[in-house]
């Protein structure tokens, strides 16, 4: 049996960025200038790095970045005031509030403060509700990136059995909704799922979004399945996913590596969502 094909996240992300560049040019020609506001509270080094990467990506595709940095002791009311100001600012098409927030701030209340039309992270209750209803709101960027990878790899989702490991608000739940909207038959698994291996062995498409190295082993994967690894785990051996890559690749039809699979897609889809917001949804 041949090894599974590698689904190259860098290549797919580059294709999405190219599409975004063309869309930005079209919007500018029509007198619309897309802008993304990033809001960072506190001094978490990883959050600073992620926001820097997002701002740089915006500049590269012609989206105007507006950056706001607040100290960790910022009062919730002050953050609300900033978000409301950005909601009202016509230069700002999308607002990205970098999570996690300091503990004294209610993250759910803050994401709910962002106008649904500017919530390009898809985390507000309105957009989560629209997604659950099969509506056309903004979906979170990482699951959107998974869908884009599957599309580029030519994976037929209609009628396929999709198994999603993880049920977070950010990844697992919205991904299951997107797969369902694509007419897959979806099983959502989590830490209390009984006999995970048997469920995985039924999958045509298996997505791991758990955050634990070695969660998916070769014996859990049917021959020819498409395996998407969302996991990002820092170990002594470097960055690894949730999937035993080498052993699983030997059985899979196609597989994403870590790094270089889902990772590059998240920012690409953030850019795509921002341009969509600028175009009026
Ligand atoms: P999370 O909020 O911690 O959720 C993890 C999910 O995995 C939970 O639903 C949990 O179940 C489930 N789980 C835990 N142990 C399990 C097990 N043994 N079997 C089956 N399910 C299990 O994490 P997240 O935010 O969704 O992120 C998941 C992973 O993706 C992390 O490694 C994260 O770093 C990575 N990630 C990557 C990107 C990217 O751009 N590449 C973006 C976002 C996240 P319960 O609900 O029962 O606790």
């Amino acid at each position: 049996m041949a090894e599974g094909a590698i689904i190259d996240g860098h290549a797919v992300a580059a294709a999405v960025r190219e599409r975004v560049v063309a869309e930005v040019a079209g919007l500018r020609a029509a007198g619309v200038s897309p802008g993304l506001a990033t809001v960072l509270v506190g001094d978490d080094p990883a959050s600073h790095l992620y926001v820097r990467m997002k701002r740089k990506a915006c500049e590269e595709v012609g989206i105007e970045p507006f950056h706001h940095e607040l100290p960790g002791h910022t009062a919730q009311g002050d953050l609300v005031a900033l978000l409301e100001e950005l909601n009202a600012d016509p230069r700002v098409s999308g607002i990205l509030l970098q999570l996690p927030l300091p503990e004294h701030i209610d993250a759910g209340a803050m994401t709910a403060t962002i106008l649904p039309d500017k919530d390009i992270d898809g985390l507000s209750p309105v957009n989560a509700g629209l997604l659950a209803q099969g509506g056309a709101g903004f979906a979170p960027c990482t699951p959107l990136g998974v869908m884009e990878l599957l599309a580029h790899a030519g994976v037929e989702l209609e009628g396929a059995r999709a198994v999603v490991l993880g049920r977070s608000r950010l990844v697992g739940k919205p991904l299951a909704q997107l797969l369902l909207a694509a007419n897959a038959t979806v099983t959502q698994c989590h830490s209390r799922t009984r006999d995970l291996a048997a469920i995985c062995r039924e999958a045509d498409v298996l997505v791991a979004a758990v955050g634990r190295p070695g969660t998916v082993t070769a014996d859990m994967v049917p021959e020819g399945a498409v395996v998407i690894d969302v996991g990002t785990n820092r170990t002594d051996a470097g960055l690894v996913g949730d999937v035993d890559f080498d052993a699983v690749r030997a059985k899979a039809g196609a597989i994403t590596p870590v790094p270089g699979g889902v990772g590059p897609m998240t920012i690409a889809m953030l850019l795509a969502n921002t341009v969509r917001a600028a175009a009026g949804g």
Side-chain angles (χ1 to χ4, degrees):
M1 178 83 193
E3 282 189 321
I6 300 277
I7 302 175
D8 180 351
H10 287 297
V12 181
V16 171
R17 284 180 193 227
E18 252 176 58
R19 199 168 76 206
V20 168
V21 168
E23 286 168 358
V24 168
L27 283 170
R28 284 193 187 282
V32 177
S33 168
L36 175 69
T38 46
V39 180
L40 185 55
V41 187
D43 47 19
D44 175 52
S47 293
H48 274 259
L49 173 68
Y50 294 145
V51 168
R52 245 192 336 270
M53 287 163 64
K54 289 167 185 173
R55 289 164 60 196
K56 182 164 168 277
C58 280
E59 280 163 9
E60 284 166 1
V61 298
I63 294 173
E64 195 174 347
F66 301 95
H67 183 54
H68 296 267
E69 223 166 284
L70 304 175
H73 58 74
T74 297
Q76 180 161 313
D78 291 340
L79 180 54
V80 170
L82 172 61
L83 294 173
E84 285 175 345
E85 198 182 296
L86 297 171
N87 279 342
D89 187 340
R91 297 170 307 157
V92 172
S93 330
I95 301 171
L96 181 134
L97 175 61
Q98 184 67 40
L99 302 177
L101 293 170
E103 272 181 15
H104 68 280
I105 295 180
D106 178 348
M110 295 307 97
T111 47
T113 301
I114 298 171
L115 272 183
D117 289 351
K118 294 193 177 191
D119 168 36
I120 40 69
D121 240 358
L123 291 176
S124 70
V126 170
N127 279 319
L130 284 171
L131 184 60
Q133 290 183 343
F138 287 106
C141 301
T142 301
L144 271 184
V146 171
M147 297 303 288
E148 192 78 24
L149 287 173
L150 291 169
H152 273 257
V155 177
E156 175 66 58
L157 291 174
E158 175 128 2
R161 285 162 303 178
V163 175
V164 178
L165 310 189
R167 58 174 167 179
S168 70
R169 242 167 21 106
L170 190 64
V171 188
K173 256 184 210 154
L175 179 60
Q177 303 284 3
L178 289 167
L179 288 163
L180 196 58
N183 294 320
T185 300
V186 183
T187 305
Q188 182 129 46
C189 302
H190 46 78
S191 65
R192 319 288 166 83
T193 298
R194 253 181 264 143
D195 206 355
L196 191 68
I199 296 170
C200 292
R201 279 194 287 268
E202 295 285 305
D204 299 311
V205 176
L206 176 60
V207 185
V210 170
R212 236 188 42 162
T215 301
V216 176
T217 49
D219 61 303
M220 298 164 77
V221 177
E223 294 282 349
V226 175
V227 180
I228 306 288
D229 192 351
V230 183
T232 314
N233 308 296
R234 279 166 220 290
T235 69
D236 292 343
L239 196 66
V240 300
D242 293 340
V243 176
D244 271 354
F245 181 79
D246 290 329
V248 169
R249 186 183 178 197
K251 284 180 89 179
I255 185 167
T256 57
V258 177
V262 176
M265 295 304 298
T266 299
I267 292 183
M269 300 319 291
L270 177 74
L271 302 174
N273 267 357
T274 303
V275 166
R276 201 184 127 204

